[in-house]
Amino acid sequence: MMKEKLDQLREEALKQIKETDSADRLNEIRVAFLGKKGELTGILKSMKDVAPEDRPKVGQMVNDTRAEIEKVLEESKTRMESAIREAKMKAEVIDVTLPAKKNKVGHRHPNTIALEEVERIFVGMGYEVVEGPEVEKDYYNFEALNIPADHPAKDEQDTFYINADLLLRTQTSSTQVHEMEKGRIPIKMIAPGRVFRADEVDATHSPSFHQVEGLVVDKDITFADLKGTLAEFSKQIFGPDTKVKFRPHHFPFTEPSAEMDVSCFKCGGKGCRFCKGEGWIEILGCGMVHPHVLEMSGIDPKEYTGFAFGVGLERIALLKYEIDDMRLLYENDIRFLKQF
Ligand code: DAH
């Protein structure tokens, strides 16, 4: 009687376990058959109706049935788990032959490329790269460069004033003064940086642009040193056949002063659209440091001489990359920038 009941119960439990493929359902089956209020427990409770001498045998049968159901439940659970794991592995498989996501690498700005090239050339000639402040005292930007309060050169370089004494520098020439004031000679430096002028924006003007200043101060520095240095610089930046030409000019802080042209690197000097038929392209201002400028910064002009130059960085970038509108350098249009 009891054995039949147990066999039936086992068959039923195994059948239900076999039919399911859900872990939740497995749990339900466990509770229904083996739980506190489950069917097997129900049978155990009816043990009191079994004759005492049969109880050990029946008890053994109940335990065997429980153990078998538990074993099958456990096997079923393991099988289900490994099936889930396998399905997951299949679903998450990585196809290494798929094209990879492209890494978008940024570009250096044409100004940066030009600056790095200028720096490379001068560092190669033993120059130090220094920087000066963009917010500058009137003294460093004008006064100490021989441009007193009512000098007409101040008009040409109108700028943005913080107050009567502080302004946004109009030229990197102010760094010359800082360097000379340090009192360490010889000086051989270039100073790149941002400068500001109250100019309207157009194809060749911007209220903010960049210059690279150069200054050499030592004993016996002559215009020949200036010429040799800038000729070498021009060859390196515009090509080995580049020639230079100096035209007399006026800067308050140099005497004599000159503007330097380079032979057009497009037509070699014959004249073309690029150089507007001139054969020459204006590049920079330069000269021998004015004795009064040396003196104001505490350097004895009888003992030392020097040369200086100032070049517009944008001008070099525009020429080198044949860009015809300076505004393109500031608009940060990715279609423009990614060409460099
Ligand atoms: N600072 C000048 C300018 O902005 C450029 C310049 C000319 C710098 C001659 C110099 C120099 O150092 O000697 O127009």
Side-chain angles (χ1 to χ4, degrees):
M1 250 310 268
M2 203 57 152
K3 182 167 186 313
E4 259 166 44
K5 244 176 157 180
L6 282 168
D7 282 348
Q8 219 179 349
L9 185 139
R10 191 188 55 229
E11 287 313 309
E12 181 57 25
L14 297 190
K15 182 171 156 258
Q16 287 189 21
I17 292 169
K18 210 173 158 194
E19 277 169 2
T20 183
D21 58 359
S22 124
D24 285 347
R25 177 76 192 117
L26 272 188
N27 217 25
E28 278 169 29
I29 296 170
R30 180 190 299 276
V31 172
F33 286 92
L34 311 177
K36 256 192 203 146
K37 289 180 186 152
E39 302 213 19
L40 200 69
T41 321
I43 290 178
L44 265 178
K45 278 183 187 148
S46 62
M47 282 283 274
K48 59 183 185 303
D49 304 331
V50 176
E53 64 273 19
D54 290 338
R55 276 184 197 162
K57 216 175 103 204
V58 175
Q60 184 62 46
M61 271 161 46
V62 172
N63 281 343
D64 287 351
T65 308
R66 167 183 285 277
E68 185 167 0
I69 296 175
E70 237 155 30
K71 185 172 147 243
V72 176
L73 271 172
E74 208 46 49
E75 281 169 3
S76 193
K77 195 170 148 219
T78 315
R79 210 178 319 115
M80 258 179 228
E81 279 171 354
S82 73
I84 288 171
R85 207 177 316 120
E86 222 158 273
K88 214 174 148 190
M89 293 223 297
K90 261 193 201 136
E92 289 177 3
V93 83
I94 297 169
D95 183 352
V96 292
T97 65
L98 280 175
K101 263 197 205 152
K102 282 222 172 67
N103 254 343
K104 287 204 183 112
V105 177
H107 296 258
R108 286 183 304 162
H109 192 278
N111 268 354
T112 309
I113 305 175
L115 175 59
E116 284 175 2
E117 186 148 6
V118 172
E119 287 183 342
R120 183 186 57 75
I121 295 168
F122 280 104
V123 167
M125 293 196 269
Y127 284 59
E128 196 186 341
V129 181
V130 305
E131 274 181 43
E134 290 171 7
V135 178
E136 188 57 282
K137 282 193 169 153
D138 183 284
Y139 176 79
Y140 288 94
N141 195 76
F142 292 125
E143 200 82 25
L145 290 166
N146 238 357
I147 309 171
D150 45 7
H151 196 286
K154 229 172 155 171
D155 267 0
E156 282 165 30
Q157 300 196 1
D158 192 17
T159 182
F160 306 91
Y161 284 82
I162 311 292
N163 58 40
D165 188 38
L166 274 182
L167 46 78
L168 299 185
R169 68 176 175 191
T170 62
Q171 48 187 353
T172 45
S173 302
S174 52
T175 53
Q176 291 186 21
V177 183
H178 289 288
E179 225 27 51
M180 289 190 290
E181 279 185 348
K182 288 181 187 161
R184 285 195 309 250
I185 295 176
I187 297 169
K188 236 177 139 183
M189 65 107 194
I190 57 165
R194 190 187 287 267
V195 298
F196 307 84
R197 294 199 192 168
D199 280 343
E200 296 284 339
V201 175
D202 65 24
T204 53
H205 291 87
S206 160
S208 161
F209 57 103
H210 301 78
Q211 289 185 332
V212 182
E213 194 72 16
L215 174 70
V216 173
V217 178
D218 201 353
K219 285 188 170 142
D220 304 321
I221 298 294
T222 69
F223 204 98
D225 297 308
L226 164 65
K227 190 179 170 192
T229 303
L230 293 180
E232 178 58 25
F233 164 69
S234 304
K235 281 191 169 68
Q236 288 203 33
I237 201 137
F238 294 119
D241 298 328
T242 308
K243 292 193 269 302
V244 292
K245 177 170 90 173
F246 292 83
R247 285 178 287 103
H249 198 77
H250 172 259
F251 296 104
F253 37 91
T254 42
E255 183 56 39
S257 303
E259 275 189 334
M260 189 186 86
D261 299 345
V262 294
S263 55
C264 177
F265 47 86
K266 275 252 132 178
C267 65
K270 288 197 286 289
C272 64
R273 264 178 49 203
F274 195 69
C275 57
K276 300 190 185 81
E278 300 269 325
W280 296 92
I281 300 167
E282 184 192 321
I283 288 292
L284 53 76
C286 58
M288 299 305 292
V289 184
H290 197 294
H292 189 223
V293 169
L294 290 171
E295 213 164 26
M296 278 188 282
S297 291
I299 295 173
D300 183 356
K302 285 191 211 75
E303 198 177 346
Y304 297 104
T305 49
F307 70 76
F309 56 90
V311 52
L313 191 62
E314 280 80 355
R315 181 136 186 80
I316 292 191
L318 295 181
L319 285 171
K320 259 189 98 72
Y321 305 114
E322 297 178 31
I323 303 163
D324 54 13
D325 193 325
M326 189 172 173
R327 284 168 287 199
L328 289 166
L329 292 176
Y330 304 121
E331 281 165 358
N332 286 336
D333 186 328
I334 201 81
R335 291 167 303 178
F336 169 75
L337 291 176
K338 74 177 176 195
Q339 299 173 49
F340 302 96

